[in-house]
Amino acid sequence: MHTIFSIYFLILGFILGSFYNVVGLRVPEGQSIITPPSHCPSCGRRLTIRDLVPVFSYIFLKGKCRTCGSKISPVYPIIELTTGLLFLFSFLRATSVGAMLAGWLLISLLIIVLVSDLAKMIIPDKVLLWFLPIFILFRVIVPLQPWWDSLLGAASGFLLLAAIALISRGGMGGGDVKLFALIGLFTGTKIVLLGFMLSAFFGAFFGIIAMMLGLVKRRQPIPFAPFIMLGVLTAYFFGEQMISFYLSLLY
Ligand SMILES: [Zn+2]
């Protein structure tokens, strides 16, 4: 049973990841996510089911459009694969159905934000506004933490990021502030604060390595969303253990 569910949820993640690619690319442009149907950005040919199988189409087509031969961005299959693996991970890691679904919702938000940030360097308000009522409703049905901790989490995420945005003068955008308020609402205070610290740590770490390797120049803006995803999901899935381990060192 376990194996069958694992495969189902991996495939579900592949399919949703494919949809999140579309959402993350079209919403910042103000386009509909339904029409026009997916097409090759070079030759405009409408994609058929053979081109749209998540992960596998890219492999079979060797990363090229079947008609015009232009390169397909590897970001698409990477996003699909990542979503699938994270959905599977949430299933394997969760101790209840509610916790698994909560993980999936958080992963979904972070993946869409990642696609938008990689492609357009923005976190669209529209995406955050869609997730707000879904998160509130989910929290009412599945209260994984007390209601006041959700409010405190939202306030903590907002205030911490707003303070950093003010101090750094544009190093942190308004989108990040709203995103962390939304994450705090969903995860509660401890996890959003730890999630931000880990995001900043991962961002700084990779930033320094990339600079040393000459991949980016000083002051060149790099998308923060990959590190937000890494930091927040690490905090979400391992935060409780990390915090109790840390406290055990103190006492
Ligand atoms: Zn083409």
Side-chain angles (χ1 to χ4, degrees), residues 67-91:
T67 321
C68 68
S70 62
K71 264 190 83 187
I72 303 166
S73 167
V75 172
Y76 293 102
I78 291 170
I79 291 291
E80 291 158 356
L81 192 64
T82 307
T83 313
L85 293 175
L86 288 173
F87 266 49
L88 173 62
F89 182 74
S90 183
F91 164 63

Side-chain angles (χ1 to χ4, degrees), residues 39-45 47 64-70 72:
H39 53 272
C40 168
S42 296
C43 67
R45 182 181 61 88
L47 302 184
K64 285 184 195 126
C65 168
R66 208 139 37 80
T67 321
C68 68
S70 62
I72 303 166

Side-chain angles (χ1 to χ4, degrees), residues 17-18 20 25 62-63 69 86 104 123 126 133 148 151 160 179 198 211 218:
S18 174
Y20 297 159
L25 288 174
K62 300 194 180 74
L86 288 173
W104 288 0
I123 298 174
K126 226 178 178 176
W148 55 263
L151 293 185
L160 176 65
L179 175 64
L198 291 172
M211 246 189 296
R218 261 188 94 78

Side-chain angles (χ1 to χ4, degrees), residues 1-207:
M1 259 334 242
H2 204 73
T3 316
I4 294 176
F5 275 122
S6 297
I7 295 168
Y8 276 157
F9 294 152
L10 182 67
I11 293 171
L12 176 70
F14 285 169
I15 294 167
L16 285 176
S18 174
F19 174 63
Y20 297 159
N21 268 322
V22 175
V23 174
L25 288 174
R26 289 192 183 182
V27 168
E29 300 281 288
Q31 296 165 337
S32 157
I33 53 172
I34 300 164
T35 53
S38 299
H39 53 272
C40 168
S42 296
C43 67
R45 182 181 61 88
R46 192 166 154 181
L47 302 184
T48 60
I49 205 81
R50 277 166 68 198
D51 307 293
L52 292 169
V53 182
V55 184
F56 297 100
S57 283
Y58 183 85
I59 298 169
F60 289 133
L61 296 171
K62 300 194 180 74
K64 285 184 195 126
C65 168
R66 208 139 37 80
T67 321
C68 68
S70 62
K71 264 190 83 187
I72 303 166
S73 167
V75 172
Y76 293 102
I78 291 170
I79 291 291
E80 291 158 356
L81 192 64
T82 307
T83 313
L85 293 175
L86 288 173
F87 266 49
L88 173 62
F89 182 74
S90 183
F91 164 63
L92 297 175
R93 178 92 188 147
T95 48
S96 66
V97 175
M100 177 186 77
L101 294 174
W104 288 0
L105 278 177
L106 191 61
I107 291 161
S108 300
L109 168 69
L110 292 168
I111 288 280
I112 295 172
V113 164
L114 176 66
V115 173
S116 289
D117 197 35
L118 287 180
K120 319 277 175 192
M121 289 289 263
I122 55 162
I123 298 174
D125 280 343
K126 226 178 178 176
V127 168
L128 302 181
L129 284 172
W130 281 340
F131 273 91
L132 180 64
I134 298 173
F135 277 9
I136 293 174
L137 189 68
F138 186 83
R139 271 294 170 248
V140 171
I141 300 168
V142 187
L144 294 176
Q145 80 261 353
W147 64 269
W148 55 263
D149 193 27
S150 283
L151 293 185
L152 191 63
S156 309
F158 180 84
L159 290 174
L160 176 65
L161 270 285
I164 293 170
L166 279 179
I167 296 165
S168 70
R169 290 183 195 175
M172 195 74 71
D176 297 302
V177 179
K178 285 174 262 183
L179 175 64
F180 271 93
L182 186 63
I183 292 170
L185 179 82
F186 197 63
T187 64
T189 318
K190 265 191 300 190
I191 301 302
V192 73
L193 293 180
L194 180 64
F196 175 73
M197 284 194 291
L198 291 172
S199 308
F201 170 76
F202 289 135
F205 183 75
F206 283 96

